[in-house]
């Protein structure tokens, strides 16, 4: 068993930077306010001058303050959040437009070239984001103890060790899960696919957040389903009023949503909205497929609960995976299907039988060790710092009038450019310079959000990444029509 390692305390300069960052966010230090001088802060905090300088540099990197020659440090004007969406529904229900699917193909083709700088995909890579060496050691230990594991077929329901740990960790999100009810899947995408197959038939209509996760669109199209786009707020998530109207009018057969750390907006729904959503789907007996992929990457110390936590009659199917937090190439996901559990187990067996035992056992052992909690704390601190730094870069290099989300967790930022800038044109201009971004129309079945894009902060923020991000801002400014 891996030893439990105590979390590393933040350094003095990080603590000072975090304290000042909180003061700025709360308005204690409003935009334009002058920070105390380095010497004064050094004296009042009883810190060295170098420590204070390092903290102020962190705040500069996060885009929160700026140095003015011969004057000092000042709080920067804030990067505004995107406006609240109009409370309108797409009508009538419709299939995903072919143009949107074609654009997705174009974007994914650009990802295949290693010469491109990727600001787009939500695919962390590198030792800074995953405990690869620890997982490798655990896998070696498991194979030494059970060498015959790789010469046997894995059979459902899969590793009890891992399913037990998933159920235990579900308590962190307010869910009471049983190991025997959990189905291991090939990543979260297979879980979403199986869930949609279990609760819909070709021609049915699915309610989707707007914007939504782009890979849902080809999945839904492949199943012959139609969609209704539901307004989704950058801060509070899915419009429950709109959901209630759709359910009352019997316009949807299922609903797919990300209530915690939404992709691409980063929003987390308020507690009362989640409770209301659970009551509505139960009353109308319409299943909710809850994508909890980023739920454990919430920046707060205490995780906001899943909607599944309030599901009393089994109308919520919760789906997740460990691809974003532990091991992307393992492709180990999971789902708990409530009243649809039996159908989901049958579909999983018919689709891909089971997940590799050695991979599932390795993840189960890592979760048992307590190492996951330590890893998550460090990962969330890293992503929170990355998000702040990238927002600072956007404020510094993108055209005036640009808005960007301040996500509640994860590593994705939704950017809304001035209305006269076409994000698809910007995508092609960036691709010509071997920089990949994700234009907004990919996140809507009907191709909405022509002036938006999603940026990903799950890469090392080295000089190459930061230069590419600044260049995208310059290209956006060059595309302005006014």
């Amino acid at each position: 068993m891996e030893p439990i390692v105590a979390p590393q305390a933040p350094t003095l300069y990080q603590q000072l930077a975090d304290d000042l960052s909180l003061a700025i966010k709360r308005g204690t230090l409003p935009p334009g306010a002058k920070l105390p001088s380095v010497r004064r802060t050094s004296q009042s905090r009883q810190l060295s001058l170098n420590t204070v300088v390092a903290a102020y540099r962190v705040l500069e990197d996060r885009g929160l303050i700026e140095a003015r020659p011969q004057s000092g440090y000042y709080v920067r004007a804030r990067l505004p959040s995107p406006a609240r969406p109009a409370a309108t529904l797409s009508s009538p229900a419709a299939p995903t437009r072919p143009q949107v699917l074609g654009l997705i193909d174009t974007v994914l083709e650009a990802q295949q070239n290693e010469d491109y700088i990727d600001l787009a995909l939500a695919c962390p890579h590198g030792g800074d984001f995953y405990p690869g060496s620890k997982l490798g050691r655990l896998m070696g230990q498991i194979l030494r103890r059970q060498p015959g594991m790789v010469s046997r077929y894995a059979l459902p329901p899969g590793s009890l060790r891992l399913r037990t740990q998933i159920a235990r960790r579900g308590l962190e999100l307010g869910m009471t899960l049983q190991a025997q009810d959990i189905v291991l899947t090939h990543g979260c995408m297979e879980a979403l696919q199986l869930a949609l197959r279990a609760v819909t038939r070709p021609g049915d209509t699915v309610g989707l957040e707007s914007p939504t996760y782009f890979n849902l669109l080809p999945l839904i199209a492949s199943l012959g389903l139609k969609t209704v786009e539901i307004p989704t707020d950058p801060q509070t998530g899915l419009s429950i009023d709109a959901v209630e109207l759709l359910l009352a009018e019997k316009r949807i057969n299922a609903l797919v949503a990300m209530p915690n750390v939404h992709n691409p907006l980063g929003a987390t729904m308020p507690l009362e909205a989640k409770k209301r959503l659970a009551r509505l789907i139960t009353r109308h007996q319409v299943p909710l497929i809850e994508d909890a992929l980023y739920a454990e990457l919430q920046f707060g110390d205490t995780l906001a609960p899943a909607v599944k936590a309030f599901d009393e009659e089994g109308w919520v199917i919760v789906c997740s995976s460990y691809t974003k937090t532990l091991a992307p190439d393992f492709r180990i996901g999971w789902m708990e299907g409530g009243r649809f559990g039996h159908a989901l187990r049958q579909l999983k067996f018919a689709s891909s039988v089971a997940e590799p035992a050695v991979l599932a056992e390795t993840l189960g052992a890592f979760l048992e060790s307590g190492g996951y909690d330590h890893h998550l704390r460090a990962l969330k601190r890293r992503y929170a710092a990355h998000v702040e730094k990238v927002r600072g870069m956007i404020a510094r290099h993108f055209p005036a009038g640009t808005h960007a989300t301040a996500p509640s967790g994860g590593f994705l930022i939704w950017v809304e450019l001035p209305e006269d800038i076409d994000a698809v044109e910007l995508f092609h201009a960036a691709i010509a310079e071997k920089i990949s971004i994700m234009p907004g129309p990919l996140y809507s079945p009907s191709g909405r959000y022509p002036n938006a894009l999603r940026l990903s902060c799950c890469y090392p923020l080295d000089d190459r990444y930061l230069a590419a991000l600044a260049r995208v801002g310059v290209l956006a400014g060059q595309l302005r029509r006014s």
Side-chain angles (χ1 to χ4, degrees):
M1 180 178 291
E2 290 279 319
I4 297 176
V5 181
Q8 189 176 15
T11 62
L12 291 175
Y13 80 87
Q14 288 173 327
Q15 184 61 59
L16 175 58
D18 289 343
D19 290 347
L20 293 173
S21 176
L22 185 61
I24 292 169
K25 289 179 179 177
R26 288 177 173 173
T28 308
L29 290 170
K34 183 177 181 180
L35 269 66
S37 69
V38 170
R39 186 170 299 279
R40 182 178 172 186
T41 301
S42 170
Q43 293 170 347
S44 64
R45 293 274 187 151
Q46 295 186 336
L47 299 171
S48 72
L49 293 173
N50 287 340
T51 297
V52 178
V53 169
Y56 282 15
R57 284 176 178 165
V58 169
L59 294 175
E60 283 187 284
D61 286 343
R62 294 178 182 177
L64 297 177
I65 67 172
E66 60 186 0
R68 298 180 186 173
Q70 311 301 318
S71 182
Y73 291 91
Y74 291 81
V75 178
R76 289 178 62 92
R78 292 175 188 166
L79 183 64
S81 295
R84 292 180 179 271
T88 56
L89 296 163
S90 64
S91 180
T96 301
R97 289 185 179 181
Q99 300 95 311
V100 174
L101 298 177
L103 183 57
I104 291 174
D105 289 341
T106 302
V107 171
L108 293 179
E109 285 174 11
Q111 306 299 323
Q112 306 304 314
N113 193 324
E114 294 184 357
D115 293 334
Y116 283 65
I117 304 171
D118 191 0
L119 310 182
L121 287 187
C123 299
H125 58 81
D128 290 342
F129 304 107
Y130 296 115
S133 59
K134 292 182 180 178
L135 292 174
R137 287 196 299 270
L138 282 172
M139 184 183 293
Q141 292 169 10
I142 288 168
L143 288 175
R144 283 193 295 273
R145 292 173 191 151
Q146 303 177 65
M149 185 178 290
V150 294
S151 59
R152 294 193 300 267
Y153 278 100
L155 295 174
S159 169
L160 177 61
R161 179 187 234 175
L162 177 55
R163 288 183 290 117
T164 299
Q165 291 304 312
I166 291 169
R168 181 182 68 82
R169 294 205 61 83
L171 295 172
E172 299 287 332
L173 292 167
M175 302 183 292
T176 303
L177 308 177
Q178 302 297 322
Q180 63 266 26
D181 298 327
I182 292 169
V183 178
L184 299 184
T185 62
H186 193 63
C188 193
M189 275 307 299
E190 188 188 38
L192 295 170
Q193 178 203 120
L194 297 177
L196 282 166
R197 289 172 60 193
V199 301
T200 64
R201 298 293 179 268
D204 282 352
T205 298
V206 177
L208 287 181
E209 296 158 314
S210 184
T212 191
Y213 170 46
F214 76 91
N215 212 18
L216 282 173
L217 305 186
L219 170 59
I220 286 173
S222 72
L223 297 175
L225 302 171
K226 294 177 286 187
T227 60
V228 170
E229 296 183 59
I230 305 172
T232 304
D233 187 272
Q235 295 179 326
T236 58
L238 186 68
S239 168
I240 307 302
D241 289 341
V243 172
E244 184 170 23
L245 177 63
L246 288 169
L247 292 172
E249 295 179 352
K250 302 186 184 303
R251 291 176 57 190
I252 58 173
N253 303 97
L255 174 65
V256 181
M258 293 187 78
N260 286 317
V261 192
H262 177 269
N263 177 5
L265 296 176
T268 290
M269 288 171 56
L271 181 63
E272 288 306 314
K274 292 174 181 174
K275 292 179 178 179
R276 184 181 167 199
L277 179 58
R279 290 194 299 268
L280 283 171
I281 63 168
T282 300
R283 183 191 314 154
H284 292 276
Q285 299 188 351
V286 171
L288 165 66
I289 300 171
E290 180 173 10
D291 185 344
L293 183 59
Y294 294 89
E296 289 192 307
L297 288 175
Q298 298 174 55
F299 291 150
D301 293 332
T302 301
L303 300 183
V307 175
K308 181 69 176 178
F310 311 108
D311 177 29
E312 297 181 353
E313 297 184 14
W315 288 98
V316 178
I317 302 172
V318 63
C319 306
S320 190
S321 86
Y322 290 100
T323 55
K324 304 299 182 188
T325 56
L326 274 183
D329 199 48
F330 281 24
R331 299 297 302 166
I332 299 292
W334 62 271
M335 62 195 312
E336 201 278 1
R339 63 176 53 235
F340 305 100
H342 179 67
L344 289 168
R345 285 189 290 273
Q346 289 184 319
L347 283 169
K348 169 59 183 177
F349 185 74
S351 174
S352 54
V353 183
E355 295 308 303
V358 66
L359 303 183
E361 282 289 301
T362 299
L363 290 186
F366 186 80
L367 295 177
E368 275 182 349
S369 74
Y372 187 54
D373 292 302
H374 171 64
H375 167 67
L376 268 184
R377 284 191 291 269
L379 192 63
K380 291 195 292 185
R381 284 198 301 269
R382 180 179 294 276
Y383 283 144
H386 278 208
V387 164
E388 288 206 36
K389 185 163 187 174
V390 170
R391 279 175 49 83
M393 292 286 290
I394 294 168
R396 192 174 304 132
H397 296 287
F398 279 57
T402 297
H403 294 202
T405 53
S408 61
F411 45 75
L412 301 173
I413 300 176
W414 182 253
V415 180
E416 290 187 359
L417 301 163
E419 291 185 358
D420 60 344
I421 300 176
D422 187 310
V424 175
E425 284 188 39
L426 178 59
F427 163 74
H428 288 296
I431 284 294
E433 301 195 16
K434 296 188 176 181
I435 303 170
S436 178
I437 59 174
M438 298 288 273
L442 270 69
Y443 298 88
S444 161
S446 60
R448 298 180 180 186
Y449 315 110
N451 62 315
L453 61 127
R454 190 193 76 177
L455 295 174
S456 182
C457 312
C458 59
Y459 310 103
L461 300 190
D462 53 22
D463 291 344
R464 188 168 179 257
Y465 176 99
L466 296 176
L469 180 59
R471 181 59 183 161
V472 171
V474 171
L475 292 172
Q478 292 173 352
L479 291 174
R480 298 207 69 164
R481 292 180 171 81
S482 57

